[in-house]
Amino acid sequence: MTLHYGTLWLENQRQAKKDREQEHLDRFLALQGIRSEAIRAGDPLDFILDLGGGCRVGVELVDVDDEAQRKNNAMADRHIAQKVDAALREQGYVLQVQLIWKFDLTQFSENPKRLRVFLDKLMAVINKEAPSLGDDEFVLSDEEDHQLQDLDLAELSDLVLRKMDHLTEPEVLSIPMAWAQGASGIMTALRDKEDKLPEYRRILGDGDVWLLFVTGARFEQNVYASLVVSVHASGLVEG
């Protein structure tokens, strides 16, 4: 019974992965305006596209997830949230504070002085705004008018303060956004796929192989770069 359940779970996982890959490919083809019937090839290629006129293109999909960086960022995020919570308690504030970041939080872990400076600046804003905070939330955003940069809080993209009747203690919501992570994972995948060029050539002859990186389909990936690479017999050429 256990074996049957385990086998069924693995099969469900494989099917879910195939479904995600098909969705990613369909989305990519739609964005590029490419009409083609995709044949699922299996190893070593995920798909083969028939572009007409005898032109065939292989497609390999790589779901990039820089797990080590993600874990380090999550640890830094928790540490920062605890520090903000402690500062709020010290001042006696019962608020919800939402922090949306636009940089790699591990920089705070590597530079504790920078975190102390950030906390001082953040509490200066809270000390100014919290006493007059009513039912409306207080929002600072860099999206349009660079308010946070003007306050020297450039690490944040948004800061939101709210008074909420049900709160009996501070609540800190910290949302990490680590831009441009995952470079090492991408390069590792490139080297791995380049090693498979002879296998691709055996299947496609002179046809191209497109290497499609999926970098931000899941929130927890924290990888924000889109890259499509065309792999030729002579090497790697970005497309």
Side-chain angles (χ1 to χ4, degrees), residues 3-42:
L3 179 62
H4 173 71
Y5 176 80
T7 302
L8 182 61
W9 182 84
L10 286 173
E11 183 57 35
N12 287 340
Q13 291 295 102
R14 292 191 192 100
Q15 187 57 50
K17 181 175 182 291
K18 289 180 179 180
D19 292 342
R20 285 198 307 272
E21 289 175 343
Q22 185 68 58
E23 290 173 7
H24 295 326
L25 179 65
D26 290 345
R27 178 63 173 160
F28 168 71
L29 294 178
L31 288 171
Q32 297 299 315
I34 298 173
R35 294 189 177 185
S36 171
E37 289 296 324
I39 302 170
R40 177 165 287 277

Short mmCIF file of all heavy atoms in Angstrom, two decimals, residues 3-42:
data_model
loop_
_atom_site.label_atom_id
_atom_site.label_comp_id
_atom_site.label_asym_id
_atom_site.label_seq_id
_atom_site.Cartn_x
_atom_site.Cartn_y
_atom_site.Cartn_z
N LEU A 3 3.96 1.50 -1.01
CA LEU A 3 4.65 1.57 -2.29
C LEU A 3 3.75 2.14 -3.36
O LEU A 3 4.15 2.98 -4.17
CB LEU A 3 5.15 0.18 -2.69
CG LEU A 3 5.88 0.10 -4.04
CD1 LEU A 3 7.13 0.96 -4.01
CD2 LEU A 3 6.24 -1.35 -4.37
N HIS A 4 2.50 1.68 -3.34
CA HIS A 4 1.55 2.17 -4.33
C HIS A 4 1.32 3.67 -4.17
O HIS A 4 1.32 4.42 -5.16
CB HIS A 4 0.21 1.43 -4.18
CG HIS A 4 -0.88 1.98 -5.05
ND1 HIS A 4 -0.89 1.81 -6.42
CD2 HIS A 4 -1.98 2.73 -4.75
CE1 HIS A 4 -1.96 2.41 -6.93
NE2 HIS A 4 -2.63 2.99 -5.93
N TYR A 5 1.18 4.12 -2.91
CA TYR A 5 0.96 5.54 -2.66
C TYR A 5 2.17 6.36 -3.11
O TYR A 5 2.03 7.40 -3.75
CB TYR A 5 0.71 5.77 -1.16
CG TYR A 5 0.57 7.23 -0.80
CD1 TYR A 5 -0.63 7.91 -1.01
CD2 TYR A 5 1.65 7.94 -0.27
CE1 TYR A 5 -0.76 9.26 -0.70
CE2 TYR A 5 1.54 9.28 0.03
CZ TYR A 5 0.33 9.93 -0.17
OH TYR A 5 0.22 11.25 0.14
N GLY A 6 3.37 5.87 -2.78
CA GLY A 6 4.59 6.57 -3.17
C GLY A 6 4.73 6.66 -4.67
O GLY A 6 5.10 7.70 -5.21
N THR A 7 4.43 5.59 -5.36
CA THR A 7 4.51 5.57 -6.82
C THR A 7 3.51 6.54 -7.43
O THR A 7 3.82 7.27 -8.38
CB THR A 7 4.25 4.16 -7.35
OG1 THR A 7 5.20 3.25 -6.77
CG2 THR A 7 4.38 4.11 -8.86
N LEU A 8 2.30 6.56 -6.88
CA LEU A 8 1.26 7.47 -7.37
C LEU A 8 1.67 8.92 -7.14
O LEU A 8 1.48 9.78 -8.02
CB LEU A 8 -0.06 7.18 -6.66
CG LEU A 8 -1.28 8.03 -7.08
CD1 LEU A 8 -1.58 7.82 -8.56
CD2 LEU A 8 -2.49 7.69 -6.22
N TRP A 9 2.27 9.21 -5.98
CA TRP A 9 2.70 10.57 -5.68
C TRP A 9 3.77 11.03 -6.66
O TRP A 9 3.71 12.14 -7.18
CB TRP A 9 3.25 10.62 -4.25
CG TRP A 9 3.67 12.00 -3.83
CD1 TRP A 9 2.88 13.00 -3.32
CD2 TRP A 9 4.99 12.55 -3.92
NE1 TRP A 9 3.62 14.13 -3.09
CE2 TRP A 9 4.93 13.89 -3.44
CE3 TRP A 9 6.21 12.04 -4.34
CZ2 TRP A 9 6.05 14.71 -3.38
CZ3 TRP A 9 7.33 12.87 -4.29
CH2 TRP A 9 7.24 14.17 -3.81
N LEU A 10 4.74 10.13 -6.94
CA LEU A 10 5.79 10.48 -7.89
C LEU A 10 5.23 10.73 -9.29
O LEU A 10 5.65 11.65 -9.98
CB LEU A 10 6.84 9.37 -7.94
CG LEU A 10 7.79 9.27 -6.74
CD1 LEU A 10 8.65 8.01 -6.85
CD2 LEU A 10 8.67 10.50 -6.65
N GLU A 11 4.29 9.91 -9.68
CA GLU A 11 3.68 10.08 -10.99
C GLU A 11 2.91 11.40 -11.08
O GLU A 11 2.97 12.11 -12.10
CB GLU A 11 2.72 8.92 -11.29
CG GLU A 11 2.09 8.96 -12.68
CD GLU A 11 3.13 8.99 -13.80
OE1 GLU A 11 4.20 8.35 -13.65
OE2 GLU A 11 2.88 9.67 -14.81
N ASN A 12 2.23 11.77 -9.99
CA ASN A 12 1.52 13.05 -9.96
C ASN A 12 2.49 14.21 -10.06
O ASN A 12 2.21 15.22 -10.72
CB ASN A 12 0.69 13.16 -8.67
CG ASN A 12 -0.53 12.26 -8.70
OD1 ASN A 12 -0.98 11.84 -9.77
ND2 ASN A 12 -1.07 11.94 -7.53
N GLN A 13 3.65 14.08 -9.38
CA GLN A 13 4.65 15.13 -9.43
C GLN A 13 5.21 15.28 -10.84
O GLN A 13 5.41 16.40 -11.33
CB GLN A 13 5.80 14.82 -8.45
CG GLN A 13 5.42 14.91 -6.98
CD GLN A 13 5.05 16.33 -6.58
OE1 GLN A 13 3.88 16.66 -6.46
NE2 GLN A 13 6.04 17.17 -6.41
N ARG A 14 5.48 14.15 -11.49
CA ARG A 14 5.99 14.20 -12.86
C ARG A 14 4.98 14.86 -13.81
O ARG A 14 5.35 15.66 -14.67
CB ARG A 14 6.31 12.78 -13.35
CG ARG A 14 7.48 12.12 -12.64
CD ARG A 14 7.89 10.85 -13.38
NE ARG A 14 8.80 10.05 -12.59
CZ ARG A 14 8.44 8.98 -11.88
NH1 ARG A 14 7.17 8.57 -11.90
NH2 ARG A 14 9.33 8.31 -11.17
N GLN A 15 3.71 14.49 -13.65
CA GLN A 15 2.68 15.06 -14.51
C GLN A 15 2.53 16.56 -14.26
O GLN A 15 2.34 17.34 -15.20
CB GLN A 15 1.35 14.35 -14.28
CG GLN A 15 0.25 14.77 -15.27
CD GLN A 15 0.66 14.53 -16.71
OE1 GLN A 15 1.12 13.44 -17.07
NE2 GLN A 15 0.51 15.54 -17.56
N ALA A 16 2.60 16.96 -12.99
CA ALA A 16 2.51 18.38 -12.66
C ALA A 16 3.66 19.16 -13.29
O ALA A 16 3.48 20.27 -13.80
CB ALA A 16 2.51 18.57 -11.14
N LYS A 17 4.85 18.57 -13.28
CA LYS A 17 6.01 19.21 -13.90
C LYS A 17 5.81 19.35 -15.41
O LYS A 17 6.10 20.39 -15.99
CB LYS A 17 7.28 18.39 -13.61
CG LYS A 17 8.57 18.98 -14.18
CD LYS A 17 9.76 18.16 -13.74
CE LYS A 17 11.06 18.75 -14.24
NZ LYS A 17 11.21 18.63 -15.70
N LYS A 18 5.31 18.29 -16.04
CA LYS A 18 5.04 18.35 -17.48
C LYS A 18 4.00 19.42 -17.80
O LYS A 18 4.14 20.16 -18.79
CB LYS A 18 4.55 16.99 -17.97
CG LYS A 18 5.62 15.90 -18.00
CD LYS A 18 5.05 14.59 -18.50
CE LYS A 18 6.10 13.49 -18.55
NZ LYS A 18 5.54 12.22 -19.05
N ASP A 19 2.97 19.52 -16.98
CA ASP A 19 1.93 20.53 -17.20
C ASP A 19 2.50 21.94 -17.09
O ASP A 19 2.17 22.82 -17.89
CB ASP A 19 0.78 20.34 -16.20
CG ASP A 19 -0.01 19.06 -16.45
OD1 ASP A 19 0.10 18.50 -17.55
OD2 ASP A 19 -0.73 18.63 -15.53
N ARG A 20 3.37 22.16 -16.08
CA ARG A 20 4.00 23.47 -15.92
C ARG A 20 4.87 23.81 -17.13
O ARG A 20 4.85 24.94 -17.63
CB ARG A 20 4.86 23.51 -14.65
CG ARG A 20 4.09 23.60 -13.35
CD ARG A 20 4.99 24.07 -12.22
NE ARG A 20 6.20 23.27 -12.10
CZ ARG A 20 6.30 22.16 -11.38
NH1 ARG A 20 5.24 21.71 -10.73
NH2 ARG A 20 7.45 21.51 -11.29
N GLU A 21 5.63 22.82 -17.59
CA GLU A 21 6.49 23.06 -18.75
C GLU A 21 5.67 23.42 -19.98
O GLU A 21 6.05 24.30 -20.76
CB GLU A 21 7.35 21.82 -19.02
CG GLU A 21 8.43 21.61 -17.98
CD GLU A 21 9.20 20.31 -18.20
OE1 GLU A 21 8.71 19.44 -18.94
OE2 GLU A 21 10.29 20.18 -17.62
N GLN A 22 4.55 22.72 -20.17
CA GLN A 22 3.69 23.02 -21.32
C GLN A 22 3.13 24.44 -21.22
O GLN A 22 3.08 25.17 -22.21
CB GLN A 22 2.54 22.01 -21.39
CG GLN A 22 1.65 22.16 -22.62
CD GLN A 22 2.39 21.78 -23.90
OE1 GLN A 22 2.88 20.66 -24.03
NE2 GLN A 22 2.47 22.71 -24.85
N GLU A 23 2.74 24.84 -20.02
CA GLU A 23 2.22 26.19 -19.82
C GLU A 23 3.29 27.24 -20.12
O GLU A 23 3.01 28.26 -20.75
CB GLU A 23 1.71 26.35 -18.38
CG GLU A 23 0.45 25.56 -18.08
CD GLU A 23 0.08 25.62 -16.61
OE1 GLU A 23 0.74 26.38 -15.87
OE2 GLU A 23 -0.85 24.90 -16.20
N HIS A 24 4.51 26.99 -19.63
CA HIS A 24 5.60 27.94 -19.88
C HIS A 24 5.89 28.05 -21.39
O HIS A 24 6.09 29.15 -21.91
CB HIS A 24 6.87 27.50 -19.15
CG HIS A 24 6.76 27.51 -17.66
ND1 HIS A 24 6.00 28.44 -16.99
CD2 HIS A 24 7.31 26.70 -16.71
CE1 HIS A 24 6.09 28.21 -15.69
NE2 HIS A 24 6.87 27.17 -15.50
N LEU A 25 5.92 26.92 -22.07
CA LEU A 25 6.19 26.94 -23.50
C LEU A 25 5.08 27.67 -24.25
O LEU A 25 5.35 28.51 -25.13
CB LEU A 25 6.33 25.52 -24.04
CG LEU A 25 6.58 25.41 -25.55
CD1 LEU A 25 7.92 26.02 -25.92
CD2 LEU A 25 6.49 23.96 -26.01
N ASP A 26 3.84 27.36 -23.92
CA ASP A 26 2.71 28.01 -24.60
C ASP A 26 2.77 29.53 -24.41
O ASP A 26 2.51 30.31 -25.34
CB ASP A 26 1.39 27.47 -24.06
CG ASP A 26 1.14 26.03 -24.47
OD1 ASP A 26 1.83 25.55 -25.40
OD2 ASP A 26 0.27 25.38 -23.86
N ARG A 27 3.11 29.95 -23.21
CA ARG A 27 3.20 31.38 -22.91
C ARG A 27 4.32 32.03 -23.72
O ARG A 27 4.15 33.11 -24.28
CB ARG A 27 3.44 31.57 -21.41
CG ARG A 27 3.60 33.01 -20.95
CD ARG A 27 2.36 33.82 -21.19
NE ARG A 27 2.45 35.14 -20.61
CZ ARG A 27 1.69 36.16 -20.97
NH1 ARG A 27 0.78 36.01 -21.90
NH2 ARG A 27 1.84 37.34 -20.38
N PHE A 28 5.47 31.37 -23.76
CA PHE A 28 6.61 31.89 -24.51
C PHE A 28 6.27 32.02 -26.00
O PHE A 28 6.53 33.06 -26.62
CB PHE A 28 7.81 30.98 -24.33
CG PHE A 28 8.95 31.26 -25.27
CD1 PHE A 28 9.72 32.41 -25.13
CD2 PHE A 28 9.24 30.39 -26.31
CE1 PHE A 28 10.75 32.68 -26.01
CE2 PHE A 28 10.28 30.65 -27.18
CZ PHE A 28 11.03 31.80 -27.04
N LEU A 29 5.68 30.98 -26.58
CA LEU A 29 5.33 31.01 -28.00
C LEU A 29 4.31 32.11 -28.30
O LEU A 29 4.41 32.80 -29.32
CB LEU A 29 4.79 29.65 -28.44
CG LEU A 29 5.78 28.48 -28.40
CD1 LEU A 29 5.08 27.19 -28.80
CD2 LEU A 29 6.99 28.74 -29.29
N ALA A 30 3.36 32.29 -27.38
CA ALA A 30 2.35 33.33 -27.58
C ALA A 30 2.99 34.72 -27.54
O ALA A 30 2.67 35.58 -28.37
CB ALA A 30 1.27 33.21 -26.50
N LEU A 31 3.90 34.94 -26.60
CA LEU A 31 4.56 36.24 -26.49
C LEU A 31 5.43 36.54 -27.70
O LEU A 31 5.57 37.68 -28.11
CB LEU A 31 5.42 36.28 -25.22
CG LEU A 31 4.65 36.37 -23.90
CD1 LEU A 31 5.61 36.19 -22.71
CD2 LEU A 31 3.93 37.71 -23.77
N GLN A 32 6.04 35.48 -28.28
CA GLN A 32 6.90 35.66 -29.44
C GLN A 32 6.14 35.63 -30.77
O GLN A 32 6.73 35.85 -31.82
CB GLN A 32 7.98 34.55 -29.45
CG GLN A 32 8.91 34.59 -28.26
CD GLN A 32 9.68 35.89 -28.18
OE1 GLN A 32 10.21 36.38 -29.17
NE2 GLN A 32 9.75 36.48 -26.99
N GLY A 33 4.84 35.35 -30.69
CA GLY A 33 4.05 35.29 -31.90
C GLY A 33 4.40 34.11 -32.79
O GLY A 33 4.30 34.18 -34.02
N ILE A 34 4.82 33.01 -32.18
CA ILE A 34 5.23 31.81 -32.92
C ILE A 34 4.09 30.80 -32.90
O ILE A 34 3.57 30.45 -31.83
CB ILE A 34 6.48 31.18 -32.30
CG1 ILE A 34 7.65 32.16 -32.36
CG2 ILE A 34 6.85 29.88 -33.02
CD1 ILE A 34 8.87 31.68 -31.61
N ARG A 35 3.72 30.34 -34.08
CA ARG A 35 2.70 29.29 -34.17
C ARG A 35 3.37 28.00 -34.57
O ARG A 35 4.01 27.90 -35.62
CB ARG A 35 1.63 29.67 -35.19
CG ARG A 35 0.80 30.87 -34.76
CD ARG A 35 -0.38 31.08 -35.69
NE ARG A 35 -1.22 32.17 -35.26
CZ ARG A 35 -2.37 32.51 -35.85
NH1 ARG A 35 -2.79 31.80 -36.91
NH2 ARG A 35 -3.09 33.53 -35.40
N SER A 36 3.24 27.02 -33.72
CA SER A 36 3.90 25.74 -34.00
C SER A 36 3.24 24.66 -33.17
O SER A 36 2.79 24.89 -32.05
CB SER A 36 5.39 25.83 -33.66
OG SER A 36 5.99 24.55 -33.72
N GLU A 37 3.21 23.48 -33.73
CA GLU A 37 2.81 22.31 -32.97
C GLU A 37 4.03 21.81 -32.19
O GLU A 37 5.09 21.57 -32.77
CB GLU A 37 2.29 21.21 -33.90
CG GLU A 37 0.95 21.52 -34.53
CD GLU A 37 -0.16 21.61 -33.50
OE1 GLU A 37 -0.12 20.85 -32.52
OE2 GLU A 37 -1.06 22.45 -33.67
N ALA A 38 3.88 21.71 -30.89
CA ALA A 38 4.98 21.24 -30.06
C ALA A 38 4.83 19.76 -29.77
O ALA A 38 3.78 19.30 -29.32
CB ALA A 38 5.02 22.02 -28.74
N ILE A 39 5.87 19.02 -30.06
CA ILE A 39 5.89 17.58 -29.77
C ILE A 39 6.75 17.37 -28.53
O ILE A 39 7.90 17.81 -28.47
CB ILE A 39 6.49 16.80 -30.95
CG1 ILE A 39 5.69 17.07 -32.22
CG2 ILE A 39 6.55 15.31 -30.64
CD1 ILE A 39 6.35 16.54 -33.47
N ARG A 40 6.17 16.73 -27.52
CA ARG A 40 6.98 16.46 -26.33
C ARG A 40 7.96 15.34 -26.66
O ARG A 40 7.57 14.22 -26.95
CB ARG A 40 6.11 16.06 -25.14
CG ARG A 40 6.93 15.71 -23.91
CD ARG A 40 6.12 15.66 -22.65
NE ARG A 40 5.74 16.99 -22.18
CZ ARG A 40 6.52 17.78 -21.45
NH1 ARG A 40 7.75 17.40 -21.18
NH2 ARG A 40 6.09 18.94 -21.03
N ALA A 41 9.24 15.70 -26.57
CA ALA A 41 10.27 14.78 -27.03
C ALA A 41 10.77 13.84 -25.94
O ALA A 41 11.22 12.74 -26.22
CB ALA A 41 11.46 15.58 -27.58
N GLY A 42 10.71 14.28 -24.69
CA GLY A 42 11.35 13.49 -23.63
C GLY A 42 12.85 13.73 -23.67
O GLY A 42 13.33 14.64 -24.33
#
